[in-house]
């Protein structure tokens, strides 16, 4: 049994299938871990959702910002954007089943045997791993409860930018969602920057640092697998592995086999306008 990790799919289902075939992925025995943003911008978001859901316990996916936005759109909280190409999901006969499944996916997942955790954007430099798990569980519980519409209605916004253990209610939840699904850069004091989407070399301000380059008061003790940041074109150091290599933007999709570090890549056409 092998464990495969992949970056943002964003509806690029055919590219995912190509890589899984190239890697000789066996859906009965192998595990597939997906870093979130299953949907949007690519041509086959519906097929992607159906496939990942159909893998059952052999697939683990975390929620990305586009996945949460889909839930908001489907519930009339946000408007459909034609560039997201999610209308087939909204029109599908199994729409409610797929959305209900998506709503129950985690923000943070830890592998039971291997020393890694996965979150779509990463883990706030202001958190230790115990805090990250606790904050994820609280938002996940709300998202899976009867209060999920309230959460979807109020999750949008860039603040608070700084973590405070005294945060409560929607401010606590919004910080958690932003850290797990939207974070790229931080300021030296740990404040989140929600605006810059460039690579570190292109950042407008020298004060901005990638979240994974900020020192932590307590090491996480596990490698963090993340996606979300296409401009990085992948990143790996002793603490993190970034797997979003910009498939939907015409770059490539990357699949990593954990056991031996083997990487499988596919050049992709430009899907996103």
């Amino acid at each position: 049994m092998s464990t495969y990790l992949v970056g943002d799919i964003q509806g690029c289902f055919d590219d995912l299938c190509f890589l899984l075939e190239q890697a000789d992925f066996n859906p009965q025995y192998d595990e597939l871990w997906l870093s979130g943003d299953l949907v949007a911008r690519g041509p086959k978001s519906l097929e992607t959702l159906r496939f990942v859901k159909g893998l059952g316990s052999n697939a683990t996916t975390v929620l990305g910002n586009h996945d949460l936005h889909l839930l908001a759109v489907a519930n009339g909280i946000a408007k459909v954007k034609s560039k997201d190409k999610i209308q087939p999901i909204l029109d599908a006969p199994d729409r409610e089943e797929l959305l209900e499944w998506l709503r129950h996916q985690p923000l943070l997942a830890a592998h039971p045997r291997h020393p890694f955790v996965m979150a779509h954007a990463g883990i706030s430099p202001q958190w230790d791993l115990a805090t990250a798990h606790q904050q994820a569980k609280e938002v996940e519980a709300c998202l899976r409860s009867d209060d999920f519409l309230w959460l979807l209605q109020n999750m949008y916004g860039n603040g608070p930018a700084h973590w405070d253990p005294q945060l409560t209610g929607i401010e606590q939840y919004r910080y958690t969602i932003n850290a797990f699904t939207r974070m790229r850069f931080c300021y030296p004091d740990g404040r989140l920057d929600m605006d810059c989407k460039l690579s570190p070399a292109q950042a407008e301000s020298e004060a901005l640092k990638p979240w994974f380059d900020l020192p932590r008061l307590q090491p996480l003790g596990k490698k963090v697998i993340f996606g979300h940041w296409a401009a990085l074109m992948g990143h790996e150091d002793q603490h993190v592995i970034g797997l979003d290599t910009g498939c939907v933007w015409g770059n490539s999709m990357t699949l990593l086999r954990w056991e031996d570090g083997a990487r499988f890549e596919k050049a992709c056409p430009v899907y996103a306008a």
Side-chain angles (χ1 to χ4, degrees):
M1 182 178 74
S2 297
T3 305
Y4 292 92
L5 316 173
V6 67
D8 303 28
I9 306 303
Q10 290 201 250
C12 302
F13 180 61
D14 291 344
D15 303 285
L16 173 64
C17 291
F18 178 93
L19 284 178
L20 293 177
E21 182 177 356
Q22 186 181 44
D24 199 23
F25 173 79
N26 187 322
Q28 291 185 312
Y29 303 107
D30 295 332
E31 298 178 44
L32 180 61
W33 283 62
L34 305 100
S35 68
D37 275 4
L38 300 181
V39 304
R41 308 292 173 88
K44 293 186 177 181
S45 291
L46 174 59
E47 292 84 348
T48 302
L49 285 181
R50 286 173 173 166
F51 173 74
V52 178
K53 178 178 179 295
L55 288 175
S57 60
N58 282 42
T60 298
T61 185
V62 292
L63 289 167
N65 52 302
H66 283 291
D67 305 318
L68 290 172
H69 186 67
L70 168 62
L71 292 173
V73 169
N75 285 281
I77 293 165
K79 293 183 178 180
V80 179
K81 299 176 182 177
S82 59
K83 65 182 180 180
D84 284 339
K85 303 182 178 76
I86 57 172
Q87 193 62 47
I89 299 173
L90 304 179
D91 295 336
D94 53 347
R95 156 194 167 129
E96 295 307 320
E97 181 182 343
L98 292 169
L99 295 174
E100 183 73 5
W101 169 82
L102 189 63
R103 186 163 65 90
H104 284 74
Q105 300 315 301
L107 286 171
L108 176 65
H111 198 279
R113 299 183 309 280
H114 302 312
F116 72 78
V117 295
M118 176 177 279
H120 177 61
I123 295 179
S124 167
Q126 297 188 288
W127 287 343
D128 57 22
L129 194 54
T131 301
H133 277 296
Q134 180 60 36
Q135 297 312 310
K137 287 178 181 178
E138 291 191 25
V139 173
E140 291 161 6
C142 186
L143 188 60
R144 297 167 185 175
S145 75
D146 292 340
D147 292 330
F148 77 97
L149 290 178
W150 169 82
L151 179 63
L152 294 174
Q153 288 167 347
N154 292 283
M155 68 178 177
Y156 293 100
N158 291 343
H162 200 283
W163 171 247
D164 185 333
Q166 302 304 312
L167 288 175
T168 59
I170 194 57
E171 289 200 334
Q172 176 190 359
Y173 292 165
R174 191 184 299 121
Y175 178 89
T176 297
I177 289 171
N178 284 344
F180 279 129
T181 71
R182 296 180 60 210
M183 174 179 65
R184 293 183 181 92
F185 287 103
C186 294
Y187 290 95
D189 64 357
R191 285 179 296 127
L192 305 180
D193 172 81
M194 293 287 99
D195 296 321
C196 186
K197 300 180 181 181
L198 303 174
S199 71
Q202 297 171 316
E204 299 95 333
S205 170
E206 292 184 0
L208 293 177
K209 304 295 181 184
W211 63 269
F212 47 80
D213 280 347
L214 266 67
R216 293 181 181 272
L217 293 177
Q218 180 178 328
L220 294 177
K222 293 188 176 183
K223 186 158 283 192
V224 180
I225 313 298
F226 70 101
H228 182 59
W229 199 344
L232 279 180
M233 286 300 297
H235 175 84
E236 182 170 0
D237 60 36
Q238 63 178 327
H239 303 297
V240 304
I241 300 177
L243 286 175
D244 183 5
T245 45
C247 178
V248 78
W249 303 106
N251 294 311
S252 64
M253 185 180 290
T254 299
L255 181 73
L256 169 68
R257 187 164 57 215
W258 177 263
E259 285 77 7
D260 61 0
R263 288 177 179 258
F264 306 86
E265 295 195 13
K266 182 187 181 300
C268 303
V270 178
Y271 293 114

